[in-house]
Amino acid sequence: DIQMTQSPSSLSASVGDRVTITCRASQSIGDYVNWYQQKPGKAPKVLIYGASSLQSGVPSRLSGSGSGTDFTLTISSLQPEDFATYYCQQSYSTPYTFGQGTKLEIK
Amino acid sequence: QVQLQESGPGLVKPSETLSLTCTVSGGSVSGGSYYWTWIRQPPGKGLEWIGFIYYSGSTNYNPSLKSRVTTSIDTSKNQFSLKLTSVTSADTAVYYCARASAAVRTRYFDLWGRGTLVTVSS
């Protein structure tokens, strides 16, 4: 199985901050990485697919980059609605696997 | 718009079989555009892909669960289902049904049900 390792596991930041979450794959996976946001009690919501493509309706302050084994999700200016848990996921091969999550909290 | 809704017992006894159904409304499970997927999340933990089924009935399961998982699809009812046998407390989780594009380049989970908590306890 391809292991997806996210860092940090948790992050405290303030509204307006720029934050970056990283995800490392245990082997090269091209750009087959997707990013999800999950709020408490809700299903995950896709933000970025194919490492850098913004899902329709997602604000442009979110962006993704990377290829091979190292990927990043960046939020350029945090808004109150961005405080949530974020997961990366590889769709390169089955079994599809997720990172352990990064909880973004208000400082 | 297309919506997914999980249904099934919220409590299952150890060693018994967990059975869930996902009903698709506003769209069709037929047609070949999507893989119909099950994902679970133990309380306070991360996400685990269980497997998916195609409208044709072909399946792909997580090897960690493969010996206990069966999925099926009923195009007449616009539903797909999950069965997980010999459950233990480790199977306690929120179970989500989701949709993923059949196209490899866009194989992400773009639509999710609300999730249903299944607790394994005697």
Side-chain angles (χ1 to χ4, degrees):
Chain A
D1 299 5
I2 297 172
Q3 306 302 316
M4 304 294 285
T5 304
Q6 285 181 238
S7 61
S9 296
S10 63
L11 176 59
S12 294
S14 301
V15 172
D17 284 353
R18 177 185 179 90
V19 299
T20 297
I21 298 169
T22 65
C23 183
R24 175 164 288 177
S26 60
Q27 67 180 71
S28 182
I29 58 172
D31 60 357
Y32 288 85
V33 162
N34 311 304
W35 290 93
Y36 301 84
Q37 176 194 66
Q38 186 178 34
K39 295 184 177 180
K42 301 292 188 183
K45 166 190 167 185
V46 64
L47 304 172
I48 302 283
Y49 64 92
S52 60
S53 296
L54 200 65
Q55 175 72 344
S56 176
V58 174
S60 59
R61 63 179 181 275
L62 280 78
S63 62
S65 65
S67 67
T69 60
D70 294 317
F71 303 88
T72 60
L73 172 69
T74 298
I75 307 174
S76 60
S77 178
L78 276 173
Q79 298 302 301
E81 59 267 31
D82 297 331
F83 292 95
T85 299
Y86 293 83
Y87 294 93
C88 60
Q89 175 247 329
Q90 63 83 15
S91 54
Y92 181 79
S93 65
T94 60
Y96 299 136
T97 48
F98 294 84
Q100 80 278 17
T102 295
K103 187 173 184 179
L104 180 53
E105 299 175 304
I106 300 174
K107 184 183 288 184
Chain B
Q1 71 279 23
V2 182
Q3 293 184 319
L4 308 182
Q5 178 67 59
E6 305 88 351
S7 59
L11 181 64
V12 181
K13 290 183 169 57
S15 80
E16 295 190 346
T17 297
L18 178 160
S19 297
L20 295 174
T21 296
C22 183
T23 300
V24 179
S25 58
S28 174
V29 298
S30 304
S33 296
Y34 298 104
Y35 285 112
W36 302 98
T37 303
W38 291 97
I39 294 166
R40 70 180 183 178
Q41 184 173 36
K45 296 188 178 181
L47 298 158
E48 180 179 33
W49 177 77
I50 298 171
F52 59 61
I53 186 165
Y54 196 47
Y55 81 104
S56 62
S58 65
T59 58
N60 191 319
Y61 300 140
N62 192 322
S64 68
L65 297 168
K66 188 173 184 177
S67 63
R68 300 193 291 131
V69 169
T70 305
T71 57
S72 59
I73 194 162
D74 187 335
T75 55
S76 66
K77 293 183 178 179
N78 224 26
Q79 295 175 333
F80 60 104
S81 298
L82 168 72
K83 290 189 187 298
L84 181 66
T85 63
S86 304
V87 297
T88 70
S89 58
D91 295 310
T92 293
V94 175
Y95 285 76
Y96 294 101
C97 58
R99 182 183 79 173
S101 171
V104 172
R105 291 300 299 164
T106 54
R107 184 82 50 84
Y108 58 92
F109 307 114
D110 69 332
L111 187 65
W112 298 63
R114 290 185 174 183
T116 187
L117 174 63
V118 179
T119 301
V120 178
S121 176
S122 55

